[in-house]
Amino acid sequence: MARIGFYSGSFDPVTFGHTDVIARAVELVDRLVIGVGLHASKSPLFSAVERVEMLRMETVLIADKSGTEIDIVTFDNLAVDAARAEGATVIFRGLRDGTDFDYEMQMAGMNGAMAPDIQTVFVAASPQVRHIAANLVRQVAKMDGDVSAFVSPEIEACLKKRCAPPEESGNGA
């Protein structure tokens, strides 16, 4: 029986922190499903289609190197229900610090009550990516800052294109 894991997030954009968790999660399962959460109350910088495509770009080498199948899906329901729909028996959650731990412990408890057959596995962020948060990466990019330490060159290009100021019309009016 294949071991299937589920890793969810908004991935807006996918960062080195996300790929750090993904690279370590694939070592523990035969198939990893990455769930891009769609929330009506959020206004993401990138569309769901763009976020899925960015994840595909960022995970192809991880899948090739590990030999683990990586699938990317979108979901608009509870992550635990999306995990169950994919046949997952484990949900991976990345932890950067104590604040993440407190929140994720609450979430794991709720998920465990709703789906006792699905375990939560916490993956502590590697020291070199522990400080990276996608919301901060978006803020830096929107202010034309250097995000190269936080995302791949491909994602940096996507951010620059999306966050570039509108060009002057040149009308002189």
Side-chain angles (χ1 to χ4, degrees):
M1 183 165 133
R3 295 169 299 158
I4 301 170
F6 190 80
Y7 176 46
S8 65
S10 60
F11 304 103
D12 187 37
V14 59
T15 69
F16 288 147
H18 296 126
T19 55
D20 177 63
V21 171
I22 292 165
R24 290 189 291 133
V26 297
E27 299 298 325
L28 303 173
V29 293
D30 302 305
R31 176 176 172 242
L32 180 65
V33 179
I34 301 172
V36 177
L38 309 177
H39 304 285
S41 64
K42 291 189 176 183
S43 299
L45 183 60
F46 294 100
S47 72
V49 170
E50 291 169 318
R51 289 181 279 156
V52 166
E53 184 53 36
M54 286 189 282
L55 277 162
R56 282 197 176 107
M57 285 189 310
E58 297 298 294
T59 59
V60 68
L61 292 177
I62 295 170
D64 288 347
K65 181 179 177 186
S66 69
T68 301
E69 178 184 352
I70 297 177
D71 293 316
I72 303 164
V73 300
T74 59
F75 70 98
D76 62 0
N77 55 343
L78 294 172
V80 71
D81 290 339
R84 182 182 285 122
E86 294 295 332
T89 57
V90 62
I91 292 175
F92 290 101
R93 299 301 301 163
L95 297 176
R96 292 174 298 206
D97 57 24
T99 303
D100 281 355
F101 180 77
D102 290 342
Y103 173 79
E104 294 296 345
M105 282 298 293
Q106 287 180 318
M107 190 67 68
M110 296 290 286
N111 287 343
M114 291 184 284
D117 54 318
I118 301 176
Q119 300 299 311
T120 298
V121 172
F122 297 126
V123 178
S126 297
Q128 62 271 25
V129 298
R130 191 164 286 147
H131 59 285
I132 301 173
N135 64 322
L136 297 177
V137 171
R138 286 193 308 272
Q139 287 179 8
V140 170
K142 286 178 181 177
M143 299 179 83
D144 198 29
D146 181 5
V147 296
S148 62
F150 316 123
V151 297
S152 71
E154 294 80 11
I155 303 304
E156 181 180 15
C158 293
L159 281 163
K160 283 184 178 180
K161 183 176 179 184
R162 181 58 46 91
C163 297
E167 293 189 32
E168 298 288 328
S169 63
N171 292 347

